[in-house]
Amino acid sequence: MPTPLQNLQAAYRDVTAKIAEVLANPLPNYTIDGVSIDRKSYYESLLEQEKSLRAIPGAAPETNPVFTHRSVAR
């Protein structure tokens, strides 16, 4: 059984995968059987979800990798 943190990390991965899908396959707004789909609102909703999840410590991977510099005296 996953821990709450693992659930949050999975949610973050799912949201970022959906964002990537929307960006890779941009579609126009459409209406089916009287139900309208506004792609821009959907994309903005995904961005808000990603931002909210990123604010939770540990839910999102670190965005600022730490680099070390080594020099060798010869």
Side-chain angles (χ1 to χ4, degrees):
M1 183 168 168
T3 66
L5 180 58
Q6 289 170 328
N7 288 333
L8 288 169
Q9 291 168 337
Y12 184 83
R13 283 191 307 271
D14 292 345
V15 167
T16 55
K18 289 177 185 175
I19 290 170
E21 181 182 326
V22 168
L23 291 174
N25 301 310
L27 299 172
N29 296 338
Y30 58 92
T31 302
I32 296 177
D33 296 330
V35 177
S36 296
I37 304 298
D38 180 4
R39 302 295 286 185
K40 181 180 178 193
S41 294
Y42 176 62
Y43 177 67
E44 289 172 351
S45 171
L46 290 173
L47 291 178
E48 284 298 316
Q49 290 176 43
E50 189 269 342
K51 181 179 177 182
S52 296
L53 287 165
R54 197 172 358 104
I56 300 170
E62 288 292 322
T63 56
N64 296 325
V66 176
F67 294 98
T68 57
H69 176 75
R70 292 184 184 178
S71 61
V72 177
R74 294 186 190 231

